[in-house]
Amino acid sequence: MQDEQEKSGSQPRAQPPEESASVRIRPISKVAAGVPAVIQTIKSAWSEMGVVRGTRTLLQLNQTGGFDCPGCAWPEPDKERSHAEFCENGAKHVADEATTKRITSEFFQRWSVADLAEQSDYWLGQQGRLTEPMVLREHATHYQPITWDDAFRLVAHQLNALGAPGEAIFYTSGRASNEASFLYQLFVRQFGTNNLPDCSNMCHESSGTALGETIGVGKGTVALEDFELAEAIFVIGQNPGTNHPRMLTALQKAKRNGCRIVHINPLPETGMIRFKHPQQIGDLLGKGTAIADLFLQVRINGDVALLKGIMKELLAEEEKNPGQVLDHEFIRNYTSGFAEFAAALGKTHWGDLIHESGVPKTKIEAAARIFLNSQRTIFCWAMGLTQHKNAVANIQEIVNLMLLRGQIGKPGAGLCPVRGHSNVQGDRTMGITERPSEGFLDQLAAKFNFEPPRTHGLDTVNAISAMHDGRAKVFFALGGNFLSATPDTEYTAAALRKCSLTAQVSTKLNRGHLISGAQALILPCLGRTETDLQAGGAQFVTTENSMAVVQASRGFLAPASTNLLSEPAIVARLARATLGSRTAIDWEGLVGDYDRIRDLIERVIPGFENYNQRVRQPGGFHLPNAARERIFKTSNGKAQFTVHELPAHKLKPGQFLMMTIRSHDQFNTSIYGLDDRYRGIHNGRRVVLLNRDDLRIAGLAEGQLVDLISHFEGEERLARNFQVVPYDIPRGCAATYFPEANVLVPLRSVAEKSNTPASKSVVITIKPAGSKESKKQRARG
C-alpha cells in the first residue's frame, strides 16, 4: 500500500493538503459560456492584471501581431478574427501569467520549503510571478537567491560530473516555443543523449503512435475551415466547453450550417449541450445554440466496443445495399488490410458490444445513420481516448471507421486530435522526442557537424523509473509542473528526491519546486505576454497549433522582473556553460536574433522553407500534411486497416473504473479556483463522482467523506478524504480531478505501444474515511 502522504519524516509532502471546507453542490449547468463566462473573464482579468492593463492585454490575445494564448492549442481563423479572439479559460490563463503579484527572495526567506508544501496548489499559484533565480542547497530549509551565472555553473558542473550523458533527464512542457525547443534539443543531443521526455508522453502520444502506424503522420488531417464544410462531427472523449472552449464557436458555426453533431463521453458535458456565444447579443439574450444532436453515454473505456458497433452496422447496411455505403474506390486505391478487418469485425457479437460500451443498440444505430448520411465527417478526440491501456486501439478504430467511407483527405472531413497545450505539437515537430527519426538525426549531423546519439532515450514513464532506480541523477525541466502532471505521485516524488540536482524553468511557483533533489534551482523565465528584448532588439517566437499552423507570438507587456531570461536565452547560456569548447555553435549569436534560430530550423526540418518570411505573414503558414492529400507514408504507401480485440473490463464486486478529469477552474495542473461551474461543484476539488445507484448499493451517502484505494497487479495506493458527489455517470464508473487523484495512477499502468499513463482506467474501491478497513490499508503502507 502506498499512502498519498509518504512517511518521510521532515520531507515536504508531495500531495496537497486535504481540504477542510465542505464542497457545495448545485444543479449542473445546461448552457456553456454566455453572461457567466463574460463575468468570470472580466473578474479574472481585472483582479489579476488591473482594469486598463487587463483589457489591453486581452485585446492582444490571439491577434495578428499579438501573442499566442499560452493555454490550449485550438487554432485561430486564418482570415477574419474577432476583436476578442479568446475564451474564458484563455483569459484566466493569461491573467494567471500576467498577474501583478510578485514572489521575491523575501518571500522565500519567510517561507520554508516544508511550510510551502503544506499549502494548496491553488494557494501556491496565487502568490504571483517568480522574479529571480533561486537555489535550494543541500540540507537547506529555504530557497536562497543565486546569480544566473552561478546557476548555470551549478547545472553545468552537475551535468559534466555524470558518468554518462544518459544519466540526465531533460523534460519539456508544451508551452515552450519552437525556437526554445529547437535550441533545447540541439543542446541536449550535443551533450550526448536523447533523454527528452515531454508532456506529450502523458497525453497525445497515443494519438501520434496510432496515426503514424495507420496514415503515416502523427498529426490530425483537418484545418479549421473544414468545420464549416462538415456534414457530421463526432466529438469523442473530449470536453470542449472546459478544455478547448473556442472550439464551441466552430461547432456552433457547423451546427448552423446544418451539420449533425454526435457527442460520445462517459459524462454529459455542458459545452456539448448548448452554447451561448459571449460576443453575440442574440445568443446572450436568447437560448443559444443546441450543439449535440445525439449523446452516447459510453462506459469509461467502452469506446472500442462502441466504434465497432457503428462499423458493424455500416457493414450490415452495405450487405443490404451493395456499393452504396462503403467507399470501395477509396478502400481499393488507398488502403490495405480491409478483408482481415471486415472478417474480424464480423466475428464480434452485438451482446458483447452493448455490454462493454454501455450504450443501447438503438443509439449505436442512430450514430451509424448520422455517419452514413454524411459525405464529409470530422472525428475529434482528446485524452478521454488516449489514456487507457488500449489507447492506441481506440484511435485506430476511429481510423478504421473513417477509412470505410473515405473520410480522410477531402474538404470538410478528417481526423482531429485536439491538443491540450499551446505548442505541444510544435515541440515535437522541433525534435523534442526520445525517439528521433534517423532522418532527423542525419540532418542535425550534416548541418552542425557532430554525431548525435542514435540510441533511443527515455520517455516520461521510463525517466521516472530511471531516477527512482538511480540510473538518472540530474533532472532539468523546460517549463511545466512535472510532479503534479505525472502519475503515481509518491513514487515520482521519491524519484525526484534521489537526484543530485533538480532544476526547473518556470513562471509561477508550483509543488514541483518543493519536491527536489539534493539541490534544486528555480529559473524564472519570461511569459508569453512579455516583451523579449535581446541584443538584436525585440524578438518574437513561433508556435504550432493543433492543426499544424505555425504563427508568430509577440509579447508586449513589461517583464515581471528585470532579472528574467527568455527560454531561448536560458537554453543558450546553459549550453555554453555545459559544452564550452565542445560546441562550435554560436549560442549567443542565435539568441541575439531569433531569426537566426529560425534559419537553422529551416535547414533541418521539412516544411519550414522561407520560415522567417512566411511566419511574418498574417496568420502564419500551414505545414504540409501528406495524409491530407491522400499520400500515406506507411510501409506500403497505403492507409492501414487494423484489427483489435474487444477490451473486457472485469471489475470485482465493489470495484469501480475511475478516470481523472479537469475542472472548469484549471488548465492542466494550474488551478485558478475551486469551482467547477458547469458540473455544479463549488468550493473544493477532492470529490469523487459516482452513479446514484452505485451509492445506494455501496451504502454511501451524498457528501460523505471516503478514501479511494487503487488496485494494480497486487499493489494498492491510497488517497484520503474525498467527498462523494452523485452524478450522471455510468454504473461502475467514477471520476476525480487531477492532480489530486494522480497518486492512485500506477506508473506501470500504461498504454500499449505509446507508454502513456492509463490515467483514465484506474480500478478503485471506496471505503468510508477513517473506517477500520481504510485504517488497515493505511497501516500496511
Side-chain angles (χ1 to χ4, degrees):
M1 163 70 75
Q2 296 185 19
D3 192 350
E4 69 165 355
Q5 294 182 16
E6 186 177 9
K7 297 178 180 177
S8 52
S10 60
Q11 288 183 326
R13 62 162 74 227
Q15 282 287 299
E18 297 158 18
E19 299 159 0
S20 57
S22 178
V23 176
R24 297 193 303 270
I25 307 301
R26 296 176 181 172
I28 297 171
S29 298
K30 298 299 183 183
V31 181
V35 173
V38 175
I39 294 172
Q40 288 298 319
T41 296
I42 293 173
K43 179 180 177 182
S44 297
W46 289 1
S47 64
E48 292 290 340
M49 298 184 286
V51 176
V52 176
R53 184 172 175 266
T55 302
R56 181 167 167 252
T57 300
L58 291 183
L59 292 177
Q60 290 292 312
L61 177 55
N62 293 325
Q63 297 297 327
T64 300
F67 64 93
D68 188 43
C69 181
C72 84
W74 189 256
E76 294 74 47
D78 285 342
K79 299 176 182 177
E80 296 182 6
R81 298 190 184 185
S82 164
H83 292 299
E85 190 64 51
F86 56 85
C87 66
E88 174 192 345
N89 282 4
K92 289 178 181 177
H93 199 92
V94 169
D96 189 62
E97 176 184 295
T99 180
T100 57
K101 301 172 187 173
R102 301 289 181 263
I103 293 179
T104 64
S105 58
E106 288 77 15
F107 173 89
F108 288 106
Q109 289 176 5
R110 294 195 308 271
W111 289 89
S112 70
V113 171
D115 288 340
L116 286 171
E118 293 302 313
Q119 307 305 313
S120 69
D121 289 352
Y122 172 62
W123 186 92
L124 293 175
Q126 287 296 301
Q127 299 315 297
R129 286 288 298 278
L130 297 162
T131 57
E132 57 187 308
M134 305 295 294
V135 62
L136 184 67
R137 302 290 185 184
E138 191 166 6
H139 305 306
T141 58
H142 292 68
Y143 272 97
Q144 299 174 335
I146 186 173
T147 68
W148 278 107
D149 285 342
D150 285 345
F152 291 128
R153 276 193 287 267
L154 175 58
V155 180
H157 173 75
Q158 291 285 332
L159 291 175
N160 288 325
L162 294 173
E167 293 179 1
I169 305 296
F170 297 92
Y171 177 75
T172 312
S173 159
R175 193 201 64 173
S177 66
N178 286 344
E179 292 75 13
S181 298
F182 184 81
L183 288 188
Y184 192 49
Q185 65 81 28
L186 182 59
F187 155 60
V188 171
R189 293 192 167 104
Q190 281 214 330
F191 178 68
T193 182
N194 284 313
N195 286 349
L196 282 160
D198 69 338
C199 59
S200 185
N201 294 151
M202 294 179 282
C203 55
H204 272 289
E205 193 71 48
S206 300
S207 298
T209 301
L211 297 178
E213 289 182 353
T214 53
I215 64 172
V217 60
K219 301 180 181 182
T221 66
V222 299
L224 187 58
E225 55 265 28
D226 287 318
F227 280 76
E228 297 186 26
L229 302 174
E231 296 179 359
I233 298 173
F234 285 67
V235 179
I236 180 171
Q238 184 193 0
N239 175 15
T242 287
N243 300 334
H244 314 91
R246 286 189 300 131
M247 181 179 174
L248 296 181
T249 300
L251 295 178
Q252 182 188 57
K253 288 181 179 179
K255 189 65 184 293
R256 290 174 174 176
N257 289 339
C259 180
R260 304 292 302 282
I261 297 177
V262 178
H263 187 214
I264 303 169
N265 202 53
L267 300 179
E269 301 292 6
T270 300
M272 295 302 297
I273 298 172
R274 186 171 292 273
F275 171 57
K276 287 188 175 185
H277 199 302
Q279 299 175 45
Q280 296 178 4
I281 299 299
D283 268 16
L284 292 177
L285 299 178
K287 295 182 178 180
T289 304
I291 300 296
D293 296 276
L294 178 66
F295 173 51
L296 304 182
Q297 191 168 27
V298 67
R299 291 176 54 187
I300 292 176
N301 202 19
D303 306 281
V304 166
L306 176 61
L307 292 165
K308 284 181 180 291
I310 294 174
M311 292 185 287
K312 193 174 182 69
E313 184 66 15
L314 290 179
L315 293 187
E317 287 298 313
E318 174 67 21
E319 286 187 14
K320 298 176 186 175
N321 304 283
Q324 297 182 39
V325 176
L326 305 187
D327 189 337
H328 290 282
E329 181 180 359
F330 177 87
I331 293 171
R332 181 171 56 253
N333 294 334
Y334 294 103
T335 76
S336 176
F338 172 74
E340 295 83 355
F341 157 79
L345 184 61
K347 296 178 182 178
T348 60
H349 300 287
W350 269 111
D352 295 332
L353 301 181
I354 294 168
H355 173 73
E356 292 300 335
S357 69
V359 178
K361 187 170 185 286
T362 53
K363 284 206 166 186
I364 298 176
E365 292 170 340
R369 283 194 298 273
I370 291 174
F371 189 84
L372 174 60
N373 291 329
S374 169
Q375 297 302 313
R376 297 185 296 274
T377 303
I378 294 174
F379 239 100
C380 306
W381 70 90
M383 288 189 287
L385 291 192
T386 65
Q387 293 182 326
H388 301 279
K389 181 180 180 180
N390 49 280
V392 171
N394 286 342
I395 296 148
Q396 290 185 342
E397 292 289 14
I398 291 175
V399 175
N400 286 337
L401 176 58
M402 297 289 273
L403 293 179
L404 288 176
R405 287 182 50 78
Q407 298 289 359
I408 299 176
K410 65 180 183 180
L415 303 165
C416 183
V418 184
R419 309 281 177 171
H421 215 323
S422 60
N423 199 43
V424 63
Q425 186 161 300
D427 291 347
R428 187 55 60 90
T429 302
M430 292 297 106
I432 299 294
T433 175
E434 76 283 358
R435 300 172 66 88
S437 69
E438 287 297 314
F440 178 79
L441 296 178
D442 289 343
Q443 288 295 313
L444 288 183
K447 299 300 187 296
F448 297 102
N449 196 30
F450 80 102
E451 180 53 38
R454 302 284 171 162
T455 303
H456 287 163
L458 302 174
D459 62 11
T460 295
V461 166
N462 289 325
I464 294 170
S465 294
M467 289 187 286
H468 197 277
D469 297 343
R471 291 177 286 118
K473 300 176 176 66
V474 173
F475 174 80
F476 190 97
L478 185 63
N481 180 356
F482 187 81
L483 173 71
S484 296
T486 47
D488 218 339
T489 308
E490 289 301 338
Y491 187 95
T492 300
L496 291 168
R497 288 178 176 129
K498 292 182 179 181
C499 291
S500 61
L501 175 70
T502 51
Q504 300 184 65
V505 178
S506 307
T507 58
K508 302 287 290 290
L509 184 64
N510 64 58
R511 192 161 299 277
H513 299 129
L514 312 178
I515 307 300
S516 66
Q519 297 188 83
L521 284 168
I522 297 175
L523 305 176
C525 67
L526 293 173
R528 191 77 64 78
T529 58
E530 293 169 323
T531 302
D532 184 354
L533 285 175
Q534 302 296 336
Q539 305 296 313
F540 68 88
V541 295
T542 60
T543 60
E544 177 188 344
N545 63 36
S546 264
M547 296 179 190
V549 178
V550 179
Q551 57 194 349
S553 178
R554 296 174 175 84
F556 75 101
L557 294 177
S561 165
T562 57
N563 209 8
L564 303 182
L565 294 180
S566 71
E567 288 177 319
I570 291 173
V571 173
R573 290 181 63 175
L574 177 59
R576 176 60 67 200
T578 304
L579 301 176
S581 61
R582 288 177 284 164
T583 180
I585 294 172
D586 180 10
W587 298 97
E588 295 80 5
L590 292 175
V591 172
D593 185 347
Y594 293 177
D595 276 1
R596 297 167 186 164
I597 305 174
R598 288 184 284 271
D599 285 340
L600 295 181
I601 294 172
E602 176 182 330
R603 293 168 57 192
V604 173
I605 302 176
F608 285 85
E609 297 78 13
N610 301 315
Y611 192 175
N612 277 306
Q613 176 185 345
R614 290 196 293 157
V615 82
R616 284 177 164 84
Q617 298 171 354
F621 62 92
H622 291 255
L623 290 173
N625 186 311
R628 185 172 169 84
E629 307 300 324
R630 294 190 168 179
I631 299 171
F632 301 108
K633 295 185 177 181
T634 60
S635 58
N636 63 3
K638 293 189 174 185
Q640 306 295 307
F641 280 97
T642 51
V643 176
H644 304 282
E645 293 184 2
L646 184 67
H649 307 99
K650 298 179 181 178
L651 296 174
K652 297 178 181 178
Q655 289 186 335
F656 299 85
L657 193 62
M658 184 197 82
M659 63 177 181
T660 60
I661 58 176
R662 281 194 213 166
S663 83
H664 196 65
D665 256 357
Q666 77 178 97
F667 177 78
N668 292 344
T669 59
S670 297
I671 311 299
Y672 306 135
L674 300 179
D675 297 341
D676 193 354
R677 188 173 78 246
Y678 291 164
R679 296 191 181 106
I681 298 169
H682 297 263
N683 198 44
R685 295 178 49 81
R686 274 184 110 75
V687 297
V688 55
L689 311 186
L690 296 170
N691 183 283
R692 283 190 178 275
D693 289 339
D694 286 335
L695 261 67
R696 177 179 51 79
I697 294 172
L700 300 174
E702 179 176 349
Q704 182 176 352
L705 288 181
V706 296
D707 294 340
L708 310 179
I709 304 165
S710 69
H711 305 268
F712 179 76
E713 296 183 353
E715 300 173 353
E716 294 181 343
R717 290 161 177 80
L718 172 66
R720 297 195 302 274
N721 287 357
F722 279 67
Q723 187 169 327
V724 170
V725 175
Y727 207 80
D728 185 3
I729 187 172
R731 292 284 312 278
C733 297
T736 54
Y737 296 129
F738 76 86
E740 288 80 0
N742 283 0
V743 67
L744 297 171
V745 183
L747 184 71
R748 293 183 295 106
S749 178
V750 295
E752 296 166 346
K753 296 184 179 180
S754 71
N755 213 35
T756 296
S759 299
K760 288 183 169 51
S761 283
V762 183
V763 176
I764 66 168
T765 52
I766 302 174
K767 305 296 181 184
S771 67
K772 291 182 179 180
E773 293 173 274
S774 186
K775 289 179 179 178
K776 287 180 181 179
Q777 299 285 5
R778 184 179 177 184
R780 289 180 203 161

